[in-house]
């Protein structure tokens, strides 16, 4: 049996005999929906309401959103206006502050200018005073020159030393004092060279302060009292050459050599500069 | 016929009781036949038919007309039948006598006795098919629904209907080819 035959037989299936009372029972049990007959009006309203309920709900929601949006927008606009007014007031305050700062700066500048002007006035006065003093100095200098000229013209020859006993005595005491001082200086220099083991004279006066008995006592040996300070000719000179002059008293024409001896200069001895050294030499007769 | 059924359906939806009565008269026989062939019992088929039309009246307002009324009606009947099966009811086997008696008042569609016997064997083989194939064969061949209408009634795709019918025909052909059943 092929498929066509099977399909033909299936399509020829005999109809089923229906029970006799089934039709009447079915017709008797018909229950049509009430909405279609009796309650037409209200159900339509209910139906319309149900149909439009989502739309109405959305419309109410949208209306609520619009109202809220409007309220928010008005609130935002109000806040913006308040913010603008505050910004304007703040700008005015800042402007006033800037003006005040400018005024304070100008006041400070004015005060500084006043001070500068006062300084200028004071400096001008000082300059005037200095000019006046300079003129006075010039005048005094002229007077001094005139007086010196008068003194030269009126000067009388000093008495001869051998004739002036007091002068000679005082000069001899001063010379003796100077010799002692120069010996002390030479001794201190040699002690310093011995302690430092350099075999050379000190390089400055301060090196010999301790060997001259301290700062106060050392002041006695830095020069002839009331005449002139001693002149150190050979700072740092080696003590191996005994002819090198270490210190000299210009007033008494006495020199201290690096070996610690003191020599009187005069017609028979002098100090010369030889190979960059101050050397004591005796004049040959 | 189809247009008249659709018009009666519209009348019933509008609340016309006479239209509903005529609609019952025009459609109850194929529904009863469908349920009777499936369940195999007269009274059960009558009850299922009553349930089917009760469901129709409850759902008539929801009928949107996308499918034909008969298709919709078959779909409701099929759902009623499925609910009945889910309750644990068993099918009564169709006897050869039933096929004889069910058409006793009408002329036999078979010309020869051999063809009639083969048809009876074939119908018995249909009842032995898998449930899904059996229902599909009933709707398409016995009830005369098209493939699309069968698919709408079963709420499945048309391709699924074709697949089920193909398998059903293969099964039937195989059963009919068996020595005991061969005519």
């Amino acid at each position: 049996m092929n498929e066509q035959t099977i399909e033909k037989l299936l399509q020829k299936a005999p109809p089923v005999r229906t029970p006799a009372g089934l039709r009447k029972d079915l017709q008797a049990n018909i229950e049509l929906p009430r909405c279609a007959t009796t309650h037409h009006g209200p159900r339509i309203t209910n139906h319309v309401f149900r149909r439009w309920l989502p739309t109405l709900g959305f419309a109410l929601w949208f209306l609520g959103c619009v109202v809220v949006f409007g309220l928010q927008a008005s609130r935002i606009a109000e806040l913006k206006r308040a913010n603008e007014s505050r910004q304007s007031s703040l700008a005015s305050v800042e402007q006033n502050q800037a003006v005040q700062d400018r005024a304070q700066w100008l006041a400070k500048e004015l005060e500084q200018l006043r001070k500068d002007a006062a300084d200028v006035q004071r400096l001008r006065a000082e300059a005037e005073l200095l000019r006046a003093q300079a003129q006075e100095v010039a005048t005094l200098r002229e007077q001094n020159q005139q007086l010196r000229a008068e003194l030269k013209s009126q000067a009388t020859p000093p008495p001869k030393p051998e004739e002036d006993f007091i002068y000679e005595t005082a000069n001899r005491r001063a010379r003796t004092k100077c010799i002692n001082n120069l010996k002390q200086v030479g001794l201190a220099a040699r002690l310093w060279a011995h302690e430092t083991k350099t075999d050379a004279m000190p390089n400055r006066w301060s090196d010999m302060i301790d060997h001259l008995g301290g700062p106060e006592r050392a002041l006695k040996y830095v020069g002839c009292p009331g005449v002139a300070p001693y002149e150190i000719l050979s700072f740092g000179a080696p003590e191996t050459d005994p002819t090198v002059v270490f210190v000299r008293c210009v007033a008494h024409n006495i020199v201290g050599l690096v070996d610690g001896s003191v020599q009187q200069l005069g017609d028979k001895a002098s100090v010369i500069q030889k190979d960059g050294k101050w050397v004591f030499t005796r004049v040959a007769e | 016929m189809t247009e008249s059924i659709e018009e009666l359906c519209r009348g019933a939806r509008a609340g016309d009781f006479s239209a509903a009565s005529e609609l019952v008269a025009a459609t109850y026989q194929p529904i009863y036949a469908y349920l009777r062939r499936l369940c195999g019992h007269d009274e059960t088929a009558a009850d299922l038919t009553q349930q089917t039309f009760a469901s129709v009246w409850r759902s008539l307002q929801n009928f949107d007309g996308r499918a034909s009324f008969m298709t919709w009606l078959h779909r409701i009947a099929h759902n009623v039948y499925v609910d009945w099966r889910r309750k644990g009811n068993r099918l009564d086997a169709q006897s050869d006598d039933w096929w004889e008696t069910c058409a006793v008042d009408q002329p036999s569609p078979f010309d020869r006795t051999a063809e009639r016997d083969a048809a009876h064997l074939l119908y018995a083989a249909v009842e032995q098919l898998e449930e899904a194939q059996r229902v599909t064969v009933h709707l398409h061949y016995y009830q005369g629904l098209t493939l699309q209408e069968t698919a709408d009634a079963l709420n499945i795709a048309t391709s699924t209907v074709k697949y089920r019918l193909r398998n059903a025909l293969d099964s039937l052909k195989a059963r009919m080819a068996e020595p005991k059943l061969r005519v």
Side-chain angles (χ1 to χ4, degrees), chain A residues 213-234:
Chain A
E216 293 181 358
R217 288 178 62 86
L219 290 176
K220 297 179 181 178
Y221 305 109
V222 296
C224 280
V227 181
Y230 295 136
E231 181 182 6
I232 301 298
L233 297 179
S234 302

Side-chain angles (χ1 to χ4, degrees), chain A residues 177-189 247 256 260-262:
Chain A
K177 183 71 173 179
C178 182
I179 290 169
N180 290 332
N181 288 344
L182 290 178
K183 284 185 177 178
Q184 287 292 333
V185 170
L187 180 60
V247 61
S261 62
V262 175

Side-chain angles (χ1 to χ4, degrees), chain B residues 16-56:
Chain B
D16 189 354
F17 189 83
S18 61
S21 181
E22 291 184 20
L23 186 64
V24 169
T27 58
Y28 86 100
Q29 284 183 338
I31 296 302
Y32 174 79
Y34 172 64
L35 294 172
R36 173 64 182 83
R37 291 193 188 101
L38 285 177
C39 67
H41 194 269
D42 292 339
E43 294 179 357
T44 303
D47 290 341
L48 294 179
T49 305
Q50 292 275 8
Q51 294 178 23
T52 299
F53 277 94
S55 180
V56 165

Side-chain angles (χ1 to χ4, degrees), chain B residues 88-136:
Chain B
N89 295 299
R90 292 188 175 182
L91 300 176
D92 292 337
Q94 307 285 8
S95 63
D96 292 342
D97 294 339
W98 181 77
W99 291 106
E100 292 290 342
T101 56
C102 68
V104 69
D105 294 338
Q106 299 178 7
S108 173
F110 305 110
D111 298 334
R112 294 179 293 117
T113 302
E115 188 180 8
R116 184 189 61 191
D117 295 339
H120 290 171
L121 290 173
L122 181 62
Y123 300 150
V126 168
E127 300 308 313
Q128 301 297 322
L129 290 174
E130 186 184 346
E131 183 66 16
Q133 296 178 7
R134 176 170 166 259
V135 172
T136 307

Side-chain angles (χ1 to χ4, degrees), chain A residues 65-82:
Chain A
C65 289
V66 168
V67 170
V68 170
F69 179 76
L71 292 175
Q72 293 288 337
S74 63
R75 178 66 178 159
I76 290 171
E78 185 179 349
L79 291 174
K80 281 184 178 177
R81 285 195 295 273

